[in-house]
Amino acid sequence: MPEIEVDGREVRITNPDKVVFPRSGHTKLDLIRYYQAVGDGALRGVLGRPMVLKRFVKGIEEEAFFQKRAPSKRPDWIEVAELRYRSGRSADEVVPRDLAAVLWSVNLGCVDLNPHPVRAEDLGHPDELRIDLDPIPGVPWEETLMTAQVSREVLNDFGLTAWPKTSGSRGFHVYARIEPRWTFAEVRRAAEAVAREVERRAPDIATSRWWKEQRHGVFVDYNQNAYDRTVASAYSVRPLADARVSTPLTWDEVATCDPAAFTIDTVPKRFADRGDPWEDMDLHEGSIEQLLELAETQGPAPERQELPLIEIARAQHKAEALEGLERWKARHPEVAGLLEPADVLVDGMRGRSSVWYRIRVNLQHVPEAERPAQEELEVDYNPWPTG
């Protein structure tokens, strides 16, 4: 059971040979060594921020569980901050102050790091505005990158410096460092103004529509700025088969970037050779006053449209939900053949301590007379059991 000395502290690594990524064979120790190699950049993304522990205790092919409360048995050098939630509950969340705290979290089963957009010194006022670009199924990667460029233009036009990174998954992230002077509600409103302005400038490829069934192209997700949201931070390894990394880029790299090129194996060399493109982010704090003024001129968001939706499954695990979808398609082959990729809505829903999955189908491309009625769910998981 090895111990690693870092920042003058001893971090105990349990089960170092445990395979975290079954397809590639990467172990927990591989993950630890990765975070050591990109330590300055990874720490910069979480430094002083309360962090939800997203723990993959059985590897990435099993669902993670979310642990807000720091373990009661922890080193005395692990700092915590008390966050209060709308439910009335509170949680002492881990606040990394050094690389040792990051590695301690990884040893608990954290693959990616998920900090709040606030510092522990001021939990009520975010210092990051986060834009999460989420393409609907079937959208070319190039359109996501084009939307990122438009997001940059909007942020720049309204007084903020934009910082790009791959999400390490299907989408793309654009951050802006802001002065910690505004509430979560105000920052979310500013982010929504960005999203609506991006949609106005690029209506063919971008959308700010809140309701998933109304979206097209790339959703400019502004809700990642809500009070209880966290986002995988810079240099986080994502729980995908190829161990991709959410990697900060320069804007010159964005147009031709391939997210598959940034992995647990390739990013350490990139970091050693090129350093961190986000190293100077803290020197570029900006104001959201202009965006709040823009929000005033935009008026209310479009209302929800009534669309022919039916629900297929609610499941504890994604694979189980998708199996239910396939059973439904087998019963309705003619209908299934008329569906566009974006007509199948797969939602990861946050439960008490883990994600559950809902699948709905939008029948907008099916002639009304041929639309099947709502049936008993293929899988009917209750994420909120009583008792």
Side-chain angles (χ1 to χ4, degrees):
M1 190 176 299
E3 291 188 348
I4 295 176
E5 183 175 346
V6 58
D7 299 323
R9 307 189 191 283
E10 295 289 336
V11 181
R12 194 178 192 187
I13 308 302
T14 57
N15 301 316
D17 296 328
K18 181 176 182 177
V19 175
V20 179
F21 295 85
R23 297 189 191 181
S24 66
H26 287 104
T27 65
K28 181 192 284 189
L29 188 57
D30 293 329
L31 200 57
I32 291 286
R33 286 171 173 158
Y34 162 80
Y35 278 109
Q36 284 184 289
V38 299
D40 289 346
L43 180 61
R44 191 172 293 115
V46 298
L47 181 62
R49 301 182 184 281
M51 188 172 74
V52 173
L53 302 176
K54 181 181 173 185
R55 299 178 63 182
F56 292 86
V57 295
K58 297 181 179 180
I60 65 157
E61 293 189 350
E62 297 289 336
E63 298 290 341
F65 72 91
F66 293 87
Q67 182 174 338
K68 293 180 178 178
R69 291 177 176 81
S72 57
K73 293 183 179 180
R74 59 181 185 267
D76 57 10
W77 43 266
I78 293 293
E79 184 178 328
V80 297
E82 184 182 24
L83 274 75
R84 297 185 177 276
Y85 292 90
R86 294 185 182 88
S87 64
R89 298 179 179 180
S90 63
D92 287 337
E93 297 191 14
V94 171
V95 178
R97 292 291 183 184
D98 52 29
L99 184 58
V102 171
L103 300 185
W104 174 83
S105 301
V106 174
N107 183 60
L108 291 178
C110 294
V111 173
D112 48 11
L113 309 176
N114 291 269
H116 293 271
V118 293
R119 309 277 184 170
E121 293 77 14
D122 187 352
L123 297 174
H125 299 94
D127 70 337
E128 287 183 346
L129 185 151
R130 300 168 171 179
I131 299 295
D132 181 10
L133 303 179
D134 183 14
I136 67 171
V139 171
W141 174 241
E142 292 74 17
E143 292 190 10
T144 300
L145 299 180
M146 291 167 61
T147 306
Q149 296 285 3
V150 179
S151 301
R152 178 197 188 189
E153 293 169 5
V154 171
L155 289 167
N156 287 350
D157 289 348
F158 288 86
L160 294 174
T161 302
W163 301 83
K165 72 179 175 77
T166 64
S167 72
S169 186
R170 295 176 54 251
F172 199 87
H173 294 161
V174 181
Y175 280 33
R177 179 69 78 240
I178 61 175
E179 301 165 12
R181 297 198 287 120
W182 295 274
T183 65
F184 274 91
E186 290 170 322
V187 174
R188 183 183 183 277
R189 191 177 183 197
E192 183 179 2
V194 172
R196 294 179 66 183
E197 179 63 11
V198 170
E199 180 181 29
R200 188 190 71 80
R201 296 187 186 190
D204 293 336
I205 61 171
T207 182
S208 65
R209 299 299 178 97
W210 175 250
W211 304 107
K212 194 168 185 177
E213 62 270 19
Q214 295 179 217
R215 297 175 191 166
H216 69 277
V218 180
F219 175 46
V220 186
D221 187 355
Y222 51 86
N223 201 49
Q224 299 299 349
N225 297 277
Y227 178 76
D228 58 349
R229 295 302 179 98
T230 60
V231 178
S233 62
Y235 296 101
S236 280
V237 180
R238 304 308 306 277
L240 298 178
D242 59 357
R244 293 188 189 186
V245 171
S246 183
T247 306
L249 306 174
T250 66
W251 280 106
D252 288 342
E253 296 178 287
V254 170
T256 58
C257 75
D258 176 3
F262 305 114
T263 71
I264 191 174
D265 295 316
T266 64
V267 170
K269 184 177 188 306
R270 169 187 166 87
F271 189 86
D273 292 345
R274 306 182 58 168
D276 181 8
W278 284 21
E279 184 175 1
D280 295 332
M281 179 189 278
D282 287 343
L283 303 178
H284 297 271
E285 280 189 348
S287 168
I288 63 170
E289 290 290 355
Q290 293 183 57
L291 286 173
L292 292 175
E293 293 171 3
L294 173 64
E296 290 293 329
T297 68
Q298 290 174 329
E303 295 183 0
R304 185 177 189 177
Q305 299 173 356
E306 290 297 326
L307 293 171
L309 297 176
I310 59 173
E311 190 169 8
I312 306 301
R314 299 179 184 182
Q316 186 175 9
H317 304 293
K318 188 174 183 178
E320 186 182 10
L322 292 173
E323 288 170 2
L325 173 64
E326 292 306 312
R327 291 194 297 271
W328 180 88
K329 286 181 176 180
R331 288 204 314 278
H332 303 282
E334 296 84 3
V335 174
L338 296 172
L339 299 177
E340 301 288 337
D343 291 336
V344 177
L345 309 174
V346 182
D347 302 307
M349 313 290 286
R350 184 71 67 89
R352 286 199 181 109
S353 62
S354 62
V355 173
W356 59 279
Y357 294 89
R358 177 182 68 180
I359 294 184
R360 296 171 297 157
V361 168
N362 186 347
L363 300 173
Q364 62 183 337
H365 293 111
V366 179
E368 187 170 358
E370 300 175 26
R371 293 172 184 170
Q374 177 67 57
E375 301 169 342
E376 183 177 339
L377 297 182
E378 292 290 336
V379 188
D380 194 3
Y381 170 70
N382 178 11
W384 308 108
T386 58

